[in-house]
Amino acid sequence: MGDTIRLTVAQAIVRWLMNQFIEIDGQELRICGGGFGIFGHGNVPCLGEALYPVHKELPLYRGQNEQSMGFAAAAYAKYHLRRRFMFCTASAGPGTANLLTAAALAHANRLPLLMLCGDTFLTRLPDPVLQQLEHFGNPTLGVNDAFRAVSRYWDRITHPAQVLQSLPAALATMLDPADCGPAFLGLPQDVQGWAYDYPVSFFARRLHRIRRQSPDIAEVADAAALLRGAQRPLIVAGGGVQYSGAVAELTAFAEAHAIPVVETIAGRANLLADHPLNIGPIGVTGSDSANAIAGAADVVLAVGTRLQDFTTGSWTVFAKDARLIGLNAGRHDAAKHLSLPVVGDARLGLLALGQALSGYRAPPGWVMKAQDERHAWDAYVAENVRPGNRPNSYAQAIGVVNALCHPRDRIVTAAGGLPAEVTANWRTLGIGTVDVEFGFSCMGYEIAGGWGARIAQSEQEPDRDTIVFVGDGSYLLMNSDLYSSVLTGKKLIVLVLDNGGFAVINKLQNNTGQESFNNLIRDCPTVSQPFAVDFEAHARAMGAVAETVTNPAELAEAFQRAKASERTHVIVMQVDPYEGWTTQGHAWWEIGTAQVSENAGVRAKHAEVEAGRAGQRRGI
């Protein structure tokens, strides 16, 4: 037998994480950038003991809320293009349960997140323990089992030797392009402290690489043959393009074959705004230009996208007879809606397709049509973001920031109306600088995600800023990481755009024929005297610099002060909940509407929504 070292389970986990590395841009970095933690009785005695000796090499950020810790970890992984991750540790019971939403977000967005969570005692000798859920017919079932549905890898460590297999398997999942997602390890409180003689070789320094799967030659040939016959080809570029590091290959492929490119929400910032083949964002929250070209395309090459309904307009943005090609590392995504699949890495797939398609170029008239559509959309956006064109709006605020920010500043938003407004109106200045979390459309991600993104950004681009757009509803849901950002010196610029409630859902409510009800504060029957929150005072109370502005001109001045500030800077501006919306660029979106109602308006809107179904493709 080889040399062994006697460690607790918690010590073994930490030591192993310390020795896993990856090469990024010629530099070898620890894959795990550190962690976010809230200690409790379920993790502080053993895991806390193991983390303290290495806290300088493996920094542990103290969270304010377990859910927001998970959001911050997701944003950190997204910034690093899934090549690095953070762990989250939570105590047993409600601490761990609070991570469920964040795990779902990471799962939906295919992001690596390692959860190290306390669990009930394996021996069951002290049962029932504090915060334990008792299932009388199944004593093995507990809170941690809820994570099975939102984890790509799930395990409960019931013996110290299991980490020899479980840790490498969890990391392999998080680094796999097709299976990437959150990994959950349940750590019973007694097992965390149990000791075992581990092989010293298990903790040897290891350098990992992200797998690049070459596509099948026959699949490439079939896809190239289909593209070669296309008169109106289109590329839909998703977030997988960036995760593959294939932006240059995408650009070269599009230029070599003169194929217009449209971007998904996750694929925003694959191309700069002024690239002549960038026809705009596609889908429900997209652009008239991209949607018009998508509807006319005869062959669609979808690269690195899971074709979510906001991308496809619930499968109405593409012509019913258009042929789809799915280039994706994941078999499940590549074959959606009867696509011709090309299963493989985006970079290698584009290179192989490019070679097979040598000499082909799309007809000039098609490219000119796409570019004319984009010019018309650019003109609309320019007017849409212009201050003074209507009451204060999201679009105006976006335009102000877009004009004043650095090309490498990072934009973060999520949920509500802002993802649509940023997607439609933001003109990309730097590749990979836009994080619109719409895979799970999760309220509360904005500030927490901004904090995690800033932690990552400070490792590589410390002189740039992370800029957060957040509505009043999401701010009220989760704002405590303003305090985290100030405590840790990770400056954010946060724009709180206050429209008096859940205004985008109020708009949806009205658009389905209903009266405003329980979305805007003024429309809540249980609210006798509506009033606005003093967001400026609230942000100041958490240590941020904060100010309130009344119009876009004042916002521009405040934003420049925020850029110069060394501390998290919050700018508050009220926006109109009714007249502030971007009215163009939308596609049909399938929602459930009432088939029967006493309200004539609801009946009319139901008929209107159903009429849009005529253009819906039917596939699998």
Side-chain angles (χ1 to χ4, degrees), residues 65-153:
N65 178 298
E66 290 87 357
Q67 180 175 314
S68 72
M69 291 187 337
F71 290 164
Y76 179 94
K78 190 180 289 190
Y79 179 93
H80 282 297
L81 301 176
R82 307 196 303 192
R83 297 174 296 183
R84 301 189 77 197
F85 68 87
M86 298 282 266
F87 69 82
C88 289
T89 179
S91 186
T96 287
N98 283 344
L99 271 171
L100 267 170
T101 302
L105 178 143
H107 192 287
N109 286 282
R110 320 285 172 86
L111 295 170
L113 163 64
L114 177 62
M115 291 168 282
L116 304 173
C117 296
D119 208 329
T120 54
F121 289 84
L122 186 66
T123 64
R124 302 184 195 160
L125 291 176
D127 287 9
V129 298
L130 177 67
Q131 300 173 335
Q132 179 178 349
L133 298 183
E134 293 184 90
H135 289 268
F136 310 129
N138 184 356
T140 68
L141 189 62
V143 167
N144 290 1
D145 293 275
F147 285 84
R148 294 176 186 267
V150 291
S151 299
R152 289 284 190 174
Y153 182 87

Side-chain angles (χ1 to χ4, degrees), residues 40 92 121 143 259 267 328 351 359 364 374 390 449 463 470 476 480 501 529-530 571 609 618:
F121 289 84
V143 167
I259 302 178
N328 205 291
L351 289 172
R374 178 60 196 252
R390 60 190 184 282
D463 294 333
V470 62
L476 288 172
S480 57
Q529 292 184 322
I571 307 170
V609 169
R618 297 187 179 185

Side-chain angles (χ1 to χ4, degrees), residues 36-67:
F36 297 96
I38 295 179
F39 285 138
H41 68 276
N43 60 350
V44 73
C46 298
L47 193 58
E49 186 274 340
L51 286 167
Y52 178 74
V54 298
H55 68 272
K56 292 183 179 179
E57 297 86 358
L58 203 67
L60 183 68
Y61 290 89
R62 179 193 177 280
Q64 318 305 325
N65 178 298
E66 290 87 357
Q67 180 175 314

Side-chain angles (χ1 to χ4, degrees), residues 196-216:
Y196 184 74
D197 294 322
Y198 290 97
V200 172
S201 59
F202 180 64
F203 305 104
R205 189 181 193 278
R206 183 177 177 188
L207 184 66
H208 297 261
R209 291 180 176 85
I210 304 293
R211 178 183 299 107
R212 288 193 180 276
Q213 179 179 339
S214 296
D216 181 81

Side-chain angles (χ1 to χ4, degrees), residues 175-204:
L175 292 181
D176 189 273
D179 294 334
C180 185
F184 181 92
L185 296 182
L187 304 175
Q189 295 167 63
D190 45 2
V191 176
Q192 280 185 51
W194 288 357
Y196 184 74
D197 294 322
Y198 290 97
V200 172
S201 59
F202 180 64
F203 305 104

Side-chain angles (χ1 to χ4, degrees), residues 396-397 400-401 495 549 551-560 571 573:
Q396 291 168 1
V400 167
V401 173
L495 279 74
V549 300
N551 56 58
E554 292 181 3
L555 173 60
E557 295 172 355
F559 184 76
Q560 290 172 317
I571 307 170
M573 185 174 81

